[in-house]
Amino acid sequence: MKSIELNTGKVIGEGAPCYIIAEIGINHNGSIDIAKKLIDEAVNARVDAVKFQKRTPEVCVPRNQWEIMRDTPWGRMSYIDYKRKTEFGTVEFSIIDQYCKERGMDWFVSAWDVESVDFMEQFETPLYKLASASLTDFELIERILKTGRPLMISTGMSTQNEIVETVRFILDFDPEYPLSIAHATSAYPCKPEELNLNMIHTLSKMFPNHPIGYSGHETGLATTVAAVAMGATFVERHFTLDRAMWGSDHAASVEPQGLSRLVKDIRDVETASGDGVKKVYDSEVGQMKKLRKHISAEYNK
């Protein structure tokens, strides 16, 4: 498997520590103060990156939904105005860019439309994420490819043939393109029986030259840790200050204490994995001498 070195110096791929992403997404609820608090908590948890989402509301919201009225923390307003209200612009992302640099945190976005890629190019983030919903949006994919930045794709709500077609499109553009692929199931929250973590092995066999990871939307932490034990070279979980906050993604997100526990458990799994070579550890010698009747000549040598 090839590894991908980011412009921040971090590496995604086999042999490197699992690249752990806290997806803030839209859980900032349009507040730069909340966004900065989330970044602070991500730093405290020792994740590798935070991820946001970037949309052009006029492009991404179907025209027939613009005037649907919705109750929000800012009062009752049309759906298009609500989406505008929660969308960060140049000022907010400039603050995030500077703040993450000060805190030593990678940051990037899921770009949902071509205009959003054009917008994001001013920040020179280390990679782009392609959301599962955009897996078949080849106009968007091509715009990202033209930036030359590493691309991470999620594969939720997709058939195996769709995944193959998208990967083929990317590699036809450039056979050496820095591409990583995340297994995902797009249910919020996702039931354990639909996580299908063995797809990590399937994708590894299908695309042996690309880092394979996991984007989880489940509740609980164990299955994300299991994904790392099964070979995921990067993982992504939605992240919030409080799962009870107003907004669509908070309920399927991890809170700060859970994020810290997730990082610790992943690092413990990596340490515990070892090198696969059987040895007798110094810590075992006392027990061996105490309990074993016959100590082999092999050990004595």
Side-chain angles (χ1 to χ4, degrees):
M1 179 202 301
K2 295 180 180 177
S3 296
I4 298 173
E5 184 170 356
L6 306 179
N7 62 11
T8 58
K10 293 182 181 178
V11 176
I12 301 175
E14 190 173 6
C18 179
Y19 189 78
I20 304 173
I21 305 161
E23 181 177 0
I24 293 172
I26 56 175
N27 281 347
H28 51 73
N29 285 0
S31 166
I32 193 65
D33 289 335
I34 292 176
K36 290 172 76 172
K37 289 177 183 177
L38 284 161
I39 293 167
D40 288 339
E41 292 292 354
V43 171
N44 292 339
R46 301 190 177 186
V47 304
D48 295 286
V50 292
K51 184 175 78 69
F52 294 85
Q53 295 183 22
K54 179 57 183 170
R55 293 176 173 88
T56 305
E58 292 77 12
V59 173
C60 294
V61 177
R63 189 65 181 83
N64 62 359
Q65 296 182 24
W66 282 26
E67 302 306 323
I68 295 175
M69 299 304 292
R70 179 168 181 151
D71 291 321
T72 77
W74 309 279
R76 190 165 176 80
M77 63 180 64
S78 67
Y79 187 59
I80 189 65
D81 285 341
Y82 154 67
K83 296 305 289 184
R84 290 168 177 153
K85 185 81 172 175
T86 57
E87 193 63 46
F88 281 165
T90 301
V91 172
E92 292 84 4
F93 276 125
S94 295
I95 293 171
I96 288 167
D97 184 49
Q98 183 62 35
Y99 200 66
C100 285
K101 286 176 179 175
E102 292 173 358
R103 305 298 322 260
M105 175 66 64
D106 287 3
W107 79 280
F108 58 98
V109 304
S110 292
W112 284 71
D113 56 86
V114 170
E115 289 85 347
S116 291
V117 180
D118 295 339
F119 170 87
M120 286 302 304
E121 274 300 283
Q122 65 187 296
F123 298 109
E124 299 186 352
T125 53
L127 64 117
Y128 280 105
K129 175 73 187 299
L130 187 75
S132 293
S134 304
L135 189 82
T136 57
D137 187 344
F138 293 106
E139 180 187 13
L140 173 59
I141 295 170
E142 184 173 17
R143 177 64 187 94
I144 294 174
L145 297 179
K146 287 180 178 177
T147 71
R149 300 188 193 281
L151 174 58
M152 179 182 290
I153 64 174
S154 270
T155 57
M157 65 179 83
S158 304
T159 67
Q160 196 155 300
N161 287 337
E162 287 174 328
I163 298 168
V164 169
E165 184 179 359
T166 294
V167 172
R168 184 182 297 121
F169 179 85
I170 295 167
L171 298 185
D172 283 346
F173 180 89
D174 179 356
E176 300 298 321
Y177 201 88
L179 169 68
S180 56
I181 305 166
H183 167 57
T185 302
S186 297
Y188 300 80
C190 186
K191 297 180 290 187
E193 59 267 30
E194 294 180 352
L195 291 176
N196 196 13
L197 293 181
N198 275 317
M199 270 301 300
I200 294 169
H201 294 153
T202 301
L203 290 171
S204 296
K205 292 175 183 176
M206 291 172 62
F207 309 111
N209 293 325
H210 301 281
I212 305 300
Y214 175 65
S215 180
H217 307 108
E218 68 270 35
T219 56
L221 308 176
T223 44
T224 300
V225 177
V228 176
M230 296 172 71
T233 61
F234 62 92
V235 295
E236 173 186 63
R237 287 293 300 268
H238 283 263
F239 176 48
T240 183
L241 295 175
D242 185 345
R243 294 178 62 204
M245 288 176 69
W246 185 91
S248 58
D249 289 349
H250 293 280
S253 300
V254 178
E255 294 178 340
Q257 184 177 0
L259 187 67
S260 294
R261 176 64 182 271
L262 177 65
V263 174
K264 180 184 183 300
D265 287 351
I266 287 173
R267 298 307 180 212
D268 284 349
V269 164
E270 290 175 327
T271 301
S273 295
D275 58 11
V277 178
K278 184 59 181 168
K279 57 183 72 73
V280 178
Y281 293 96
D282 291 343
S283 58
E284 296 179 285
V285 173
Q287 287 292 89
M288 179 184 65
K289 291 180 176 179
K290 177 181 178 181
L291 299 176
R292 182 165 286 176
K293 186 174 182 179
H294 300 289
I295 298 176
S296 69
E298 176 188 8
Y299 178 76
N300 288 330
K301 288 179 182 179

